[in-house]
């Protein structure tokens, strides 16, 4: 179990450092220039590609959840015990915070970085949203996006899934939800990914982070219920006996 927890901690750390790093470079440092679409695509690809690599790198060790919402979905699908889930959650949140700290330590060496202005790729609504979405819309979007992503993870790690391509499918699923979600909220779908940067950025990012913890967990629970219902074997209706009079 220690190896599993260590893998989840390191995996979440790397996801935050690299993918949130691209988000900060694209939008905080404005390296995407005057094209928000370029920043959206770059950030979405970063999250998807980093997760794709992690699935194959640490998947054999821990399953590569690196996301408390995914762990909740796996727990509700009865693929792990509550004790294991608590350990995974602790490792993921610690990894997310450490990843954000390392990212912040990297950027503070740049004269162009100012935490209150550049931020750290935190999620948000209102003025922190590219489309200035309200709290209700942000909450709904995070539930839907997380449900889709966690459902994809559960489907691609089930007994009938093809393990050799699961990483590609999961990475593409995360890329897809980011393409939609970045303009709306910045895209969380991962409480550990949101908490770490929010703790560093402070301000409105920290005051709003509760939504990006609660909504993804609700989405993960919905995904688990939907997956169980769809995967439930159906009883075949027996054919009627042949007509003996014919």
């Amino acid at each position: 179990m220690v190896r599993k927890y260590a893998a989840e901690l390191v995996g979440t750390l790397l996801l935050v450092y690299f993918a949130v790093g691209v988000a900060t470079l694209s939008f905080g440092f404005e390296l995407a220039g005057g094209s928000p679409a370029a920043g959206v695509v770059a950030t979405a690809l970063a999250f998807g590609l980093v997760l794709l690599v992690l699935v194959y790198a640490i998947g054999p060790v821990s399953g590569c959840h690196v996301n408390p919402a995914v762990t909740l979905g796996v727990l509700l699908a009865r693929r792990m015990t509550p004790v294991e889930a608590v350990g995974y959650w602790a490792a993921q949140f610690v990894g997310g915070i450490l990843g954000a700290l390392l990212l912040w330590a990297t950027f503070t060496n740049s004269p162009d970085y100012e935490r209150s202005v550049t931020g750290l790729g935190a999620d948000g609504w209102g003025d922190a949203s590219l489309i200035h979405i309200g709290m209700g819309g942000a909450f709904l979007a995070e539930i839907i996006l997380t449900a889709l992503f966690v459902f994809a993870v559960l489907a691609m790690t089930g007994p009938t899934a093809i393990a050799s391509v699961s990483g590609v499918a999961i990475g593409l699923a995360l890329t897809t939800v980011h393409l939609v979600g970045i303009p709306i909220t910045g895209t969380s779908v991962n409480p550990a990914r949101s908490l770490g940067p929010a703790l560093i950025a402070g301000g409105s990012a920290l005051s709003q982070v509760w939504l990006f913890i609660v909504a993804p967990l609700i989405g993960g629970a919905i995904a688990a219920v939907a997956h169980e219902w769809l995967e439930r074997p159906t009883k075949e209706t027996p054919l009627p006996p042949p007509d003996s009079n014919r």
Side-chain angles (χ1 to χ4, degrees):
M1 290 308 301
V2 173
R3 291 178 65 246
K4 291 183 178 182
Y5 299 152
E8 287 295 305
L9 188 153
V10 173
T12 310
L13 182 156
L14 293 174
L15 180 70
V16 169
Y17 186 87
F18 286 102
V20 176
V22 172
T24 307
L25 290 169
S26 296
F27 297 103
F29 286 95
E30 298 183 351
L31 295 187
S35 174
V40 169
V41 172
T43 304
L45 286 174
F47 274 95
L49 290 174
V50 171
L51 184 61
L52 187 157
V53 172
L54 289 175
V55 167
Y56 292 113
I58 67 172
V61 179
S62 68
C64 188
H65 297 187
V66 296
N67 183 337
V70 171
T71 297
L72 179 61
V74 173
L75 173 64
L76 295 178
R78 297 185 295 277
R79 298 184 189 177
M80 69 188 311
T81 67
V83 173
E84 289 175 325
V86 170
Y88 270 51
W89 286 327
Q92 290 156 1
F93 279 114
V94 171
I97 294 170
L98 290 177
L101 281 171
L102 289 174
L103 189 61
W104 173 71
T106 301
F107 287 149
T108 53
N109 287 278
S110 169
D112 297 327
Y113 182 78
E114 185 177 349
R115 185 175 59 176
S116 61
V117 177
T118 313
L120 202 68
D123 303 304
W125 70 83
D127 291 338
S129 165
L130 288 178
I131 64 171
H132 305 288
I133 194 79
M135 183 181 69
F139 199 92
L140 179 61
E142 285 294 328
I143 290 175
I144 295 172
L145 293 173
T146 309
L148 171 62
F149 173 63
V150 175
F151 183 88
V153 172
L154 293 175
M156 293 307 302
T157 55
T160 60
I162 303 174
S164 60
V165 299
S166 61
V168 177
I170 292 171
L172 288 175
L174 189 61
T175 300
T176 301
V177 299
H178 274 80
L179 287 172
V180 177
I182 290 173
I184 302 174
T185 64
T187 310
S188 171
V189 304
N190 184 337
R193 168 262 182 271
S194 294
L195 181 61
L199 289 174
I200 302 299
S204 64
L206 186 57
S207 66
Q208 294 182 357
V209 74
W210 65 269
L211 185 148
F212 302 104
I213 295 175
V214 176
L217 292 176
I218 294 174
I222 292 173
V225 173
H227 182 263
E228 182 178 6
W229 181 76
L230 289 174
E231 288 291 308
R232 186 180 300 166
T234 57
K235 295 181 179 180
E236 295 184 358
T237 303
L239 294 173
D243 190 346
S244 59
N245 294 327
R246 290 185 180 180

